[in-house]
Amino acid sequence: ALTNSQIGLLGSAQYIGVTCVVFAAGYLSDRFGRWPVLISGLAVFTAFTWLIGFSSSFSEAFLFRLVSGFGEGAFWPVAMASVAGYFKGRKGLALGIFYVGFDAGSVAGLSIGGVAYTLTSNWRPAFFFAPLIGLVVIAAALVARGRLVGAGQGFAGIRLGRDALQLLKRRNVVLIMAFALLATWASVWQVVFLPYYFFKVMHFTVLSASLLSSLVLVAGAFGKIILGGLSDSVRRNRLLAAVTLATFLSYVIFFSSSTFALYMAAALSMGFFSASIFPVVQSLMTDSADGTTGSALGLSTSAQSVATIFSTFIAASLFTIGIGRAVALDAMIPISLAFIVALFLREPRRADAP
């Protein structure tokens, strides 16, 4: 059995890989084009996620998950910059839909994993079947090659060096990065530990825990589309403050309630609001970039990746005080700080404004 520290390290491994590669991916996209970087990243992510199922030790599982993070770090910010550049004035809605693709993958992975474990009492089959979804994504990217290439024309790439340094001199950019880090820290547990929380703390079966967690992710998908779209017509900084407060209140109810109906309603609410933060904050970062959109998204994505690395490790390390208390602390403290930071965010004039 894995120790609490090993569980935390496995949860962080993929995001360590993302952090290591995110800016290098931008450089490579400038050098070789966005489409080859997207395809290569997707292929690496899919292949090494599949290989986790063959791991025979913690070290092998950690290595395969780390390399899968290299793949995600390659395609994630490049794809996001392409979406923001292609849709411009509707980027909040577009990025919301873009993020939903990851929710769909998470829901499918949790469902497949829960069913596979229930049928076989073995965790390996989940890693043999779930990554097959990546082949569908790669096929779709191949079909959409023309649009992916076109989206990069005349739009800033993710550059190392001067662009990022200039952006870091701006107070609003630094605040957005801090907010992205805290909001990500507060929500990562929903992806990494929510099924484990339902299983260990709420005493559901593995299959039930997986399916309930999938419902929370589905609520998040709706949040990203609805509030991401709303952010195209309202002030994003104010929307982020309101959504962060709603997330905090949802957490309070979820962790304090003892009735199934109430904590499930709170779980769906926290999924809806916490997930909607990300397309909105990335759109706000794009608005603050003054043309260096790729570099700005590289900075915010890096902040999110750093949060994902240490948040899972912190939560797992706190399991000694009880899984429920550990997860609650890992969620409540950063979302409170994120709300405070959100109050100081400013709305720049949007490049696509009339």
Side-chain angles (χ1 to χ4, degrees):
L2 297 175
T3 66
N4 290 337
S5 294
Q6 287 175 328
I7 293 172
L9 285 171
L10 277 180
S12 299
Q14 182 173 329
Y15 303 102
I16 295 173
V18 171
T19 304
C20 291
V21 170
V22 61
F23 276 113
Y27 171 78
L28 292 173
S29 73
D30 288 341
R31 179 70 175 81
F32 300 106
R34 286 180 175 173
W35 189 81
V37 175
L38 283 170
I39 292 296
S40 299
L42 286 167
V44 170
F45 175 75
T46 300
F48 281 87
T49 300
W50 182 70
L51 285 173
I52 294 172
F54 291 100
S55 59
S56 58
S57 66
F58 165 76
S59 298
E60 288 183 0
F62 181 87
L63 177 62
F64 292 148
R65 189 162 169 80
L66 176 70
V67 179
S68 75
F70 292 162
E72 182 176 349
F75 73 76
W76 174 260
V78 177
M80 192 161 50
S82 297
V83 170
Y86 189 83
F87 290 95
K88 295 184 173 68
R90 298 293 291 169
K91 57 179 163 287
L93 176 61
L95 287 172
I97 296 172
F98 171 79
Y99 269 100
V100 166
F102 284 82
D103 289 329
S106 297
V107 169
L110 283 170
S111 301
I112 293 171
V115 171
Y117 185 84
T118 300
L119 294 175
T120 66
S121 298
N122 190 330
W123 58 269
R124 296 180 187 275
F127 289 96
F128 296 148
F129 292 108
L132 296 177
I133 299 171
L135 299 179
V136 177
V137 177
I138 292 172
L142 290 170
V143 172
R145 177 176 181 176
R147 292 191 177 186
L148 289 173
V149 173
Q153 299 300 321
F155 204 69
I158 304 172
R159 297 187 179 91
L160 293 166
R162 184 175 299 175
D163 285 349
L165 291 175
Q166 290 299 318
L167 286 168
L168 286 171
K169 295 178 181 179
R170 301 180 186 178
R171 177 175 177 270
N172 205 48
V173 168
V174 174
L175 286 173
I176 293 171
M177 289 178 64
F179 177 84
L181 184 148
L182 292 166
T184 303
W185 178 5
S187 64
V188 166
W189 73 273
Q190 294 180 47
V191 177
V192 179
F193 292 124
L194 186 57
Y196 192 58
Y197 183 90
F198 278 133
F199 176 63
K200 285 290 188 179
V201 179
M202 302 300 187
H203 306 296
F204 288 101
T205 64
V206 171
L207 179 58
S208 297
S210 298
L211 294 178
L212 288 173
S213 299
S214 296
L215 289 177
V216 176
L217 291 173
V218 170
F222 280 101
K224 289 170 182 174
I225 294 174
I226 294 172
L227 296 184
L230 179 63
S231 75
D232 290 323
S233 56
V234 301
R235 293 176 68 90
R236 292 189 172 112
N237 60 330
R238 294 178 180 174
L239 181 60
L240 284 173
V243 168
T244 305
L245 178 59
T247 303
F248 172 81
L249 295 175
S250 300
Y251 283 169
V252 170
I253 298 171
F254 178 78
F255 290 118
S256 62
S257 175
S258 58
T259 60
F260 175 79
L262 190 56
Y263 71 66
M264 274 310 301
L268 296 175
S269 176
M270 74 185 185
F272 180 89
F273 287 111
S274 66
S276 70
I277 287 173
F278 301 109
V280 181
V281 75
Q282 298 291 19
S283 297
L284 183 61
M285 180 63 99
T286 300
D287 294 335
S288 304
D290 289 342
T292 56
T293 304
S295 294
L297 292 176
L299 290 173
S300 55
T301 303
S302 295
Q304 289 183 272
S305 299
V306 169
T308 309
I309 291 170
F310 67 73
S311 64
T312 52
F313 185 74
I314 289 174
S317 299
L318 290 172
F319 280 176
T320 53
I321 66 172
I323 296 171
R325 291 190 184 93
V327 171
L329 286 173
D330 197 49
M332 296 295 293
I333 293 174
I335 200 64
S336 303
L337 296 173
F339 174 69
I340 294 172
V341 174
L343 297 177
F344 294 93
L345 294 175
R346 294 292 178 263
E347 177 88 358
R349 178 175 174 78
R350 301 182 187 179
D352 46 71

